[in-house]
Amino acid sequence: MSGGQSLNRKKQTGQTRKLAIAPYLFVLPNLLIFGVFIVIPSLLGLYYSFHVYDGLNPMKFNGLGNYIKIIGDKEFWTTIGRTGIYAAIVVPLIYAVALGIAMMLAREIRMRGLFRAIFYWPTMISFIIVGLTWKWIFGDSFGILNHMLTVIGVEPIGFLTSPFWANAAVIIATVWSRAGFFMVIFIAGLQAIPTDYYEAARLDGATGIKVFRHITLPLLKPTSLLVFMLALIDAFKAFPLMFALTGGGPGKETTYIVQYIYEIGFTKQELGLASAMSVMLFIIIGGFSALQFRMSKGGAV
Amino acid sequence: MELKPLTKITIYSILSVAALFWLLPVLWVVISALKTNTDLYSYPPKLWPQPLTFEHFTAAFNKGNFGLYFKNSTIVTLSSTILLLLINSMAGFALAKYRFRGSSIILIGFISTLMIPIEVIMIPIFKVLSALGMYNSMLAIIIPPAATPTGVFLMRQYLLTVPDELLEAARMDGAGEWKIYWSIILPIAKPILAVLAIFSFMWRWDDFLWPLIAISDPAKYTIQLALSNFIGEYSVDWGSLLAMSVITMIPVLIVFLVFQRYFVSGMITSGMKG
């Protein structure tokens, strides 16, 4: 009896010990990768940002030098401003287009699945191919769009050579490639609104725009917020699409902040300066993320 | 809610025009890729390829080395996805089903890494890869992106619903922790693993920034890197470029068509791009 008990206890303590170690072993691979490829680079980047460093010669401590240089760097602020304007146009556009389509596709209409698939499909294509696709359409000398314009009697437009039109092209391509993604989120949000609300509103005689303003929009607020923030963060990370569509040009007209940091860091080899710019970008993006996280109470949709 | 006929007509018209705008760009790329070089640059553009040709497709493989890039992308995408499923489900399992010291700190740590996108740490990442001797190796684009906070979080949320009694019963029967994970948890987690697999496939197949930072040897280029490199060339060979774009879209199209409904549910639960 007693022998059996002690055996049982021994078995139990062995099991508890295993239970105590197992979870750590299970999280270890992820922890290791996060540590090595996210945490260490983050700290390293912060460290670089206070140094002059070209990647080859020894680092030289520079205090806040890089940050002071950035504050005085006109091009940096132009790039940030350009990214901001791009975001300010693209985010509301994506929001409106995605919500508009979602509202039509949340209803009981025929071929709903097909329509959803058509709008969603471009979100699956890489930004490089999205850029290529639109370059093939907007191309100044070979694009189909300019041909169509001449057919209807409009002068050809230098879509990729005029600063204004290059930005417009980038914005169109962005909306085209991202609207479907947010459409799905909106459809889910719309379907979560109980139909009773609409029925009650109808009994009260409210129609169309009124229902939209007083029922749909307020009840859709959490979804709206999520879409708005995600699109905003996306906009500040934009780079591959422009890389393929305009190459950041003409001149620097469609060079946004990530591409600028990439160029300073990898083309000009000013790793310290580029790192300080990355810290500034982190403050922007991290700020948006934190805001979204707080407002959505924990990230769950 | 029944719709009035007029409303219905308006909705269908708007949707059709919009759908056309969403469809035509890709269709135009596909059509163009099937044209001969003379037709490709002819002005006014021909709407339909005459004669139809696959020469750009064969040229992409023969002269453009596209087969190699396709193979590289396939290797990277598949191995990274398998690794992602394995380690993210392990971490998700631990965080959902064990009470251990530091678990909430680890969870918060994982989630907060969402705030540090690769765009922000691309310069030091380059240094870390070099220091580890991983720079310019396929491992550099397989291993690091396989740990995603989104994946861990989704796995954890899903596995929270698994009753503890199930694990207790298995322990009574003498099953070890790894065995519990492997033969009880993984089968239960199949639906969420499927969602993650599809997303991981898309993320890795479409990825540009990781390969751009981690790879310099053209023999190790992924498709996206190769395509971007071709655009930068002095004279762009649009024929091959369009053909490569079309081929590159096919695997994603297949995944999309087969797993459409998972995409929608996965998007709603994750709501992000990793």
Side-chain angles (χ1 to χ4, degrees), chain A residues 146-158:
Chain A
N146 266 330
H147 168 67
M148 294 194 328
L149 287 180
T150 36
V151 168
I152 57 167
V154 179
E155 283 288 297
I157 295 169

Side-chain angles (χ1 to χ4, degrees), chain A residues 24 107 110 124 126 136 230, chain B residues 3 12 32 101 206 224 271:
Chain A
Y24 294 103
R107 294 168 186 251
R110 239 173 284 166
M124 305 276 308
S126 76
W136 181 237
L230 288 180
Chain B
L3 293 171
Y12 276 115
S32 305
R101 200 182 286 252
D206 287 349
Q224 312 297 344

Side-chain angles (χ1 to χ4, degrees), chain A residues 193 211-222:
Chain A
I193 299 177
V211 174
F212 178 72
R213 264 190 52 195
H214 296 291
I215 295 186
T216 313
L217 265 191
L219 286 171
L220 207 58
K221 213 173 139 197

Side-chain angles (χ1 to χ4, degrees), chain A residues 269-284:
Chain A
Q269 292 287 319
E270 294 193 53
L271 302 196
L273 189 63
S275 295
M277 290 175 178
S278 299
V279 172
M280 315 265 288
L281 178 63
F282 169 74
I283 292 170
I284 297 172

Side-chain angles (χ1 to χ4, degrees), chain B residues 137-250:
Chain B
S137 79
M138 303 278 257
L139 285 182
I141 30 179
I142 291 173
I143 296 176
T148 71
T150 317
V152 176
F153 188 68
L154 282 183
M155 285 312 300
R156 177 183 173 268
Q157 295 306 96
Y158 188 84
L159 292 175
L160 279 176
T161 59
V162 176
D164 285 332
E165 289 78 16
L166 201 63
L167 311 186
E168 287 307 324
R171 276 179 199 129
M172 296 290 241
D173 289 345
E177 303 308 308
W178 176 261
K179 183 147 199 243
I180 290 175
Y181 160 75
W182 190 258
S183 43
I184 297 176
I185 294 299
L186 277 189
I188 289 177
K190 258 186 201 157
I192 194 80
L193 287 171
V195 171
L196 264 183
I198 298 160
F199 272 93
S200 166
F201 180 91
M202 185 184 79
W203 293 336
R204 296 283 73 82
W205 187 262
D206 287 349
D207 197 11
F208 171 67
L209 205 51
W210 263 109
L212 180 71
I213 293 166
I215 300 290
S216 68
D217 177 4
K220 289 168 188 150
Y221 275 3
T222 60
I223 291 174
Q224 312 297 344
L225 206 53
L227 282 171
S228 73
N229 203 47
F230 283 127
I231 316 170
E233 272 177 14
Y234 189 63
S235 61
V236 178
D237 175 9
W238 273 104
S240 301
L241 212 51
L242 294 171
M244 286 190 238
S245 304
V246 173
I247 304 169
T248 308
M249 283 190 271
I250 291 174

Side-chain angles (χ1 to χ4, degrees), chain B residues 53-101:
Chain B
T53 172
F54 285 95
E55 65 181 75
H56 297 306
F57 290 86
T58 45
F61 280 97
N62 294 337
K63 287 186 288 179
N65 232 352
F66 188 59
L68 176 71
Y69 307 133
F70 200 89
K71 196 185 90 190
N72 289 347
S73 271
T74 309
I75 293 172
V76 167
T77 304
L78 292 184
S79 22
S80 192
T81 298
I82 292 168
L83 192 66
L84 179 144
L85 294 181
L86 185 73
I87 65 174
N88 283 8
S89 59
M90 281 164 58
F93 169 48
L95 292 170
K97 286 287 135 205
Y98 291 89
R99 247 165 278 143
F100 59 106
R101 200 182 286 252

Side-chain angles (χ1 to χ4, degrees), chain A residues 54-126:
Chain A
D54 62 2
L56 301 165
N57 297 305
M59 252 180 263
K60 255 200 336 240
F61 183 71
N62 192 23
L64 289 173
N66 289 328
Y67 291 94
I68 292 166
K69 198 169 170 188
I70 291 171
I71 290 171
D73 178 7
K74 236 177 100 188
E75 208 177 324
F76 176 80
W77 292 108
T78 317
T79 313
I80 286 275
R82 208 184 279 136
T83 315
I85 293 170
Y86 163 77
I89 298 172
V90 126
V91 173
L93 258 181
I94 288 180
Y95 181 94
V97 170
L99 180 58
I101 295 174
M103 286 190 51
M104 291 189 272
L105 290 180
R107 294 168 186 251
E108 294 293 327
I109 63 162
R110 239 173 284 166
M111 295 189 294
R112 192 165 64 163
L114 179 70
F115 278 122
R116 284 185 188 179
I118 291 173
F119 293 117
Y120 187 68
W121 158 241
T123 59
M124 305 276 308
I125 308 173
S126 76

